[in-house]
Amino acid sequence: MAPKQLPILSDYDISPVTGFLPVEEPLQILPDPYFAPWEEVFQQFNGLLLASRLRQRAQELPVLDASRLKTKAEQRRAYLILCMLSHAYVWGKHEVAADVLPASLSVPWKKVADMLELQPVLTHAAVVLWNWRLLYKDGPRDLSNLNTLATLSGSSDESWFYLVTTAIEATGAPVLSKILNAIQLVRDEDTAGLVQELHGIRGIIEELVAVLRRMFERCDPYVFYWKVRPYLAGWENMAEAGLPNGVKYEGVDNGEYKKLAGGSAAQSSLIHALDIAFGVEHHPTGFRPNKTGESKAGSGNTREYVNGTSGYTSAINGTKQTTSSPPSNFIQKMRFYMPGPHRNFLTHLTEVANIRAFVINKTAETENGNRSEDVKNLIAVFDECVHQIKVFRDVHIQMVTLYIVMQANRGPSISHGGFAHQPQAQTPQPEANGDSHTAANGNGIEAPGSSTKGSSILYPQKVIFGAPYGLAKKQEKGNNVVRGTGGTDLIPFLRQSRDETNESKIVPAPAFARRKSSVGLN
């Protein structure tokens, strides 16, 4: 039986030059005057949000017919607009989260999302793939020549956050053709050619790491955590943020509540493609496969499961639990938040991926004999590629620690942003009439029953009349769960993803670390 044909990038709305980014710049305005009401609100978007009038203005919008969007470019522009308006509507500006989205937003948003085979929630595709423009039309798609079309906060820090990720997508675009070339070289059993192709892939992954490190340059951790990140959150696992039931979409699916994950780096098809190419397998957070075929109790919160007729078995604190279906895999679930063609490409790529299996076979064939230089080089460069994916995830964990975990632990009263930890400023205490101390909100109005310790009128998110303020909140003592915008318990998820990457190496990690590499691995 002939092997399955390799995917053709253009069949999946992918370019060998720009990758998952569109070849043409995203539209900066919808050309049909019919959609002028959306564009008008979007032009005033940041001002309306700042004045706490966005919700009122959105409710006044007509329910427009999204079927009049004729091209993919128009649909993507509409999706970006509706994502930003809807997330701003739900989370507000120092307002209680709204759990009902008006039909003026929800009905066309669902329609456009269906057109693009996406979910009606803010995604990586909206703010990264379709939210950029070139400063110079003949210039490169890199950080020296990119700007955003829109931000939720109006800050340059938010723009930089998106643009670094857009630049990662652009930098990684050539790796897709190289992966397909490598798969074909495996089919041809061309070991020397495969080694050369993998060297090229390794170099591109190293470039991705270098671009990711640039996030620290112009995105302040304090601004990101308190001013930007709350709007990126979805409404899954967001009870503590004020949305225990999710969000009701008026006029959609009989007005049922939806629980959808927000924008996440796990929605990048580029990173998924690298995982598939190198055989990196991800499992539900806290669950690890029991390769012996028998369930066994784990220590602490370690869980192991067996995929078999007896179901999935986990062990928590030594107590076995069995379910008839596999636990939810967050990374796999994130594919449903990708554009349909990109998701279908990953499915096709999974069906033809053969690189790791080929390297394992070559390793086994020569295990008891002398290995040729080609096989030695093959094992070395394969593991170096995997190692660079791990390094990418290491940097991401460092970033999450600085931008999210440390900000959550410190709280909002940091005088000079998130980089420097300053002593908390004390707000002067009122003494007149012997009244009990109260905290002032952003309008200078005292919030009854609120302590002013460690807060000031410059940081009203510290106290908002006791209302939830999305994900922007100080971590409470005893609560070790830091939610990602996708709803995950963030740090355990990221660490497990990193460790699973490392486990895909052919040579165990300790031996790999001692081996002198042809490149300076971190």
Side-chain angles (χ1 to χ4, degrees), residues 42 111 117 158 184 219 402 411 428 452:
F42 204 46
K111 179 69 173 179
E117 300 176 71
E158 184 180 353
Q184 185 58 53
C219 182
L402 173 61
T452 59

Side-chain angles (χ1 to χ4, degrees), residues 142-211:
D142 63 26
L143 289 170
S144 71
N145 196 43
L146 287 170
N147 195 11
T148 50
L149 297 178
T151 63
L152 287 149
S153 66
S155 69
S156 60
D157 301 81
E158 184 180 353
S159 285
W160 189 253
F161 175 72
Y162 298 149
L163 293 175
V164 167
T165 318
T166 303
I168 287 172
E169 295 284 349
T171 301
V175 84
L176 301 173
S177 295
K178 287 186 172 294
I179 287 172
L180 297 180
N181 290 341
I183 292 173
Q184 185 58 53
L185 288 166
V186 168
R187 292 182 174 186
D188 297 339
E189 297 190 10
D190 184 349
T191 301
L194 177 59
V195 168
Q196 184 177 358
E197 202 67 62
L198 291 178
H199 274 290
I201 292 173
R202 180 201 61 201
I204 293 173
I205 303 173
E206 288 176 325
E207 292 176 21
L208 299 183
V209 174
V211 176

Side-chain angles (χ1 to χ4, degrees), residues 7 12 14 20 176 267-274 276 335 338 340-352:
Y12 296 99
I14 303 169
F20 297 102
L176 301 173
Q267 294 165 4
S268 170
S269 300
L270 175 64
I271 304 305
H272 279 247
L274 288 170
I276 293 168
R335 293 191 186 178
M338 300 174 182
H342 298 173
R343 179 170 63 250
N344 294 336
F345 168 76
L346 296 178
T347 299
H348 193 162
L349 184 63
T350 301
E351 293 170 349
V352 299

